[in-house]
Amino acid sequence: MTRAPLRGRYADLSAVLAATLLVLAAVLVGRHIQDTYRTLFVHWPPLFADWDPHVGPGTPAAVLVGAAVVAYGPNLAVRLPWRGLLAAAWGGSLAWTWSLALVDGWQRGVAGRLTSPNEYLTVIGRFHDIPAALRDFTHHIVSGAPAPWPAHIAGHPPAATLTFVLLDRAGLHGGGWAGAWCVTVGSTAGAAVLVAVRALAAERLARGAAPFLVLVPAAVWVGASADGYFAAVAAWTVALLALAVTGRSVAWAAGAGLLYGLTCYLSYGLTLFALIGAAVLVLGRRRVRARPVILALLVAGAAVVPVVFTLAGFDWWQGYRLLVVRYYQGVGGTRPYGYWVWANLACTVIITGPATVAGLRRACALLVHRRTAPAPELRLALLVCVTLLALLIADLSGMSKAETERIWLPFAMWLPAAAAFLPRPRAWLTAQAVLALLLNHLLLTGW
């Protein structure tokens, strides 16, 4: 898989060209709909962003980090010891995400992100009595209810808000600490993907994917949004399950279950990670059959967070039903499904980059020709394609119209692993870095 035939490279470029045309169509059609009907509620469709060419204090660092990963990333990924590679991947992701966030400056890029009117820090004062707030949580979801929650609080189960309440209780007050939490935790998602790919497929494929998981354009939205934090929790759920079905200790399954339960109470839509978990169980089915305690530990771990929140008085199912009502009361009920159902995919192209598009093409080709495909490559292809399937289900649900460049970060962080299939990694890494830099310097992203 280190050198592709020429026709494979042409197919890669054709896939990237098709994806580029999809993005262009989403921009042009979206601009027409917004200018004519004002029903998209975004200023620079398909992204929730404004045209605002600018530079900032993070610009020199972002350029240097991008250039360094392009120049040295592929060689370091091969030569570093495994634990050193994981540390380097996390460190590289931290540097890349922080530098991109600081292109907008400290206040606009980090400290002010989670203090805007729709964000979590605005309601911390309403959680002075946490048990009472949880019992009362669903009474404030629907618009028109007494003191309705702001959009992001209403749109998520209370573990999302409770995270920032607990940070505040620990003395880490304000948007700066909240943003730092999201960047620091969110940047571990790439390392989690590497752990899973090594366990389920092969170490050489994980090493090949590492630089792409660092330079993913989605880092623009990881810094600093709560969805970056959600992405990391979901990623470590899969990574721990991968270790449980392939490693020496089945105890990892309990940790995977615990994190999956937390994932479901951070975001309703991330229940779809059950599909990715099912793929992991299929890939590790021999060990699961030999050690059925894995499933028992997984289920037991997954029950912990739901039981705690249910006993505290929060009904997840009622919360979700009320969220659907709230969603259609707001702009979600106005935004046209017929546009967003495909424009959301254009957003995914933007946040995952051209290397991911080409890698996914190769992953799909491997599944089509699975009888002749090497087993490790086939296993990685299955993992990323199941992730893509989960994303498509989220798309078809109609509950993700716009802002998916942020909302779908948990899925998007897995897809660049497909770039491990690509030859000439530096050329593709350059394209990834340039795209991210252009996005962050030409647009002012928001949510």
Side-chain angles (χ1 to χ4, degrees), residues 138 141 154-155 157 268-269 271 314-326 397 399:
T138 57
I141 293 177
Y268 294 104
T271 54
F314 172 72
D315 185 331
W316 190 97
W317 288 104
Q318 183 186 23
Y320 178 72
R321 289 192 295 270
L322 293 172
L323 166 63
V324 174
V325 174
R326 171 71 178 264
S397 74
M399 289 295 290

Side-chain angles (χ1 to χ4, degrees), residues 242-296:
L243 291 176
V245 302
T246 60
R248 295 179 180 178
S249 176
V250 297
W252 292 115
L258 184 65
L259 288 182
Y260 179 69
L262 176 59
T263 298
C264 294
Y265 278 73
L266 291 171
S267 175
Y268 294 104
L270 295 187
T271 54
L272 286 170
F273 261 75
L275 286 175
I276 306 171
V280 172
L281 293 175
V282 169
L283 291 173
R285 58 190 178 276
R286 290 184 180 177
R287 182 167 170 82
V288 173
R289 284 197 295 263
R291 302 291 299 276
V293 69
I294 290 174
L295 292 178

Side-chain angles (χ1 to χ4, degrees), residues 16-418:
V16 171
L17 176 60
T20 303
L21 292 175
L22 176 67
V23 172
L24 180 60
V27 172
L28 296 177
V29 174
R31 186 72 270 161
H32 171 73
I33 294 173
Q34 179 62 14
D35 290 345
T36 305
Y37 303 105
R38 304 289 179 182
T39 56
L40 298 187
F41 299 95
V42 295
H43 296 154
W44 206 88
L47 299 176
F48 194 92
D50 292 285
W51 180 258
D52 182 21
H54 62 286
V55 295
T59 296
V63 173
L64 286 174
V65 171
V69 176
V70 170
Y72 303 108
N75 286 340
L76 287 175
V78 172
R79 295 177 180 177
L80 285 173
W82 176 249
R83 291 184 180 180
L85 176 60
L86 291 180
W90 183 23
S93 295
L94 270 175
W96 181 236
T97 306
W98 270 116
S99 59
L100 289 172
L102 291 173
V103 168
D104 296 333
W106 171 253
Q107 182 60 36
R108 190 167 71 168
V110 180
R113 291 291 194 181
L114 294 166
T115 59
S116 63
N118 286 324
E119 283 288 359
Y120 302 96
L121 268 63
T122 61
V123 301
I124 285 179
R126 294 172 63 177
F127 278 75
H128 60 277
D129 183 340
I130 291 176
L134 292 178
R135 289 193 300 271
D136 200 40
F137 192 88
T138 57
H139 297 154
H140 305 285
I141 293 177
V142 175
S143 294
W149 297 119
H152 287 187
I153 291 84
H156 295 82
T161 306
L162 195 56
T163 298
F164 299 101
V165 171
L166 294 177
L167 282 176
D168 185 76
R169 293 280 181 89
L172 304 180
H173 310 296
W177 284 111
W181 167 268
C182 293
V183 171
T184 303
V185 177
S187 295
T188 69
V193 175
L194 292 181
V195 169
V197 172
R198 182 191 188 225
L200 297 170
E203 184 173 318
R204 60 181 174 80
L205 290 173
R207 290 178 178 276
F212 293 97
L213 291 166
V214 171
L215 282 190
V216 59
V220 172
W221 288 270
V222 172
S225 76
D227 295 86
Y229 154 52
F230 304 162
V233 177
W236 283 107
T237 298
V238 178
L240 294 187
L241 184 57
L243 291 176
V245 302
T246 60
R248 295 179 180 178
S249 176
V250 297
W252 292 115
L258 184 65
L259 288 182
Y260 179 69
L262 176 59
T263 298
C264 294
Y265 278 73
L266 291 171
S267 175
Y268 294 104
L270 295 187
T271 54
L272 286 170
F273 261 75
L275 286 175
I276 306 171
V280 172
L281 293 175
V282 169
L283 291 173
R285 58 190 178 276
R286 290 184 180 177
R287 182 167 170 82
V288 173
R289 284 197 295 263
R291 302 291 299 276
V293 69
I294 290 174
L295 292 178
L297 290 171
L298 178 64
V299 172
V304 172
V305 173
V307 167
V308 169
F309 274 94
T310 300
L311 292 177
F314 172 72
D315 185 331
W316 190 97
W317 288 104
Q318 183 186 23
Y320 178 72
R321 289 192 295 270
L322 293 172
L323 166 63
V324 174
V325 174
R326 171 71 178 264
Y327 184 79
Y328 285 99
Q329 286 178 323
V331 296
T334 304
R335 284 171 168 160
Y337 180 85
Y339 171 76
W340 287 111
V341 74
W342 59 272
N344 284 337
L345 302 181
C347 288
T348 304
V349 170
I350 292 170
I351 67 175
T352 58
T356 300
V357 172
L360 286 173
R361 185 209 67 81
R362 289 179 178 248
C364 293
L366 282 166
L367 292 180
V368 171
H369 303 288
R370 56 188 176 275
R371 291 185 179 180
T372 59
E377 280 79 355
L378 190 58
R379 293 163 75 85
L380 176 56
L382 177 64
L383 185 64
V384 295
C385 286
V386 169
T387 303
L388 182 60
L389 174 62
L391 184 149
L392 291 174
I393 293 172
D395 187 33
L396 293 173
S397 74
M399 289 295 290
S400 298
K401 289 181 285 189
E403 302 181 59
T404 53
E405 64 271 18
R406 169 185 58 83
I407 297 168
W408 288 354
L409 282 176
F411 304 108
M413 300 305 289
W414 285 85
L415 299 180

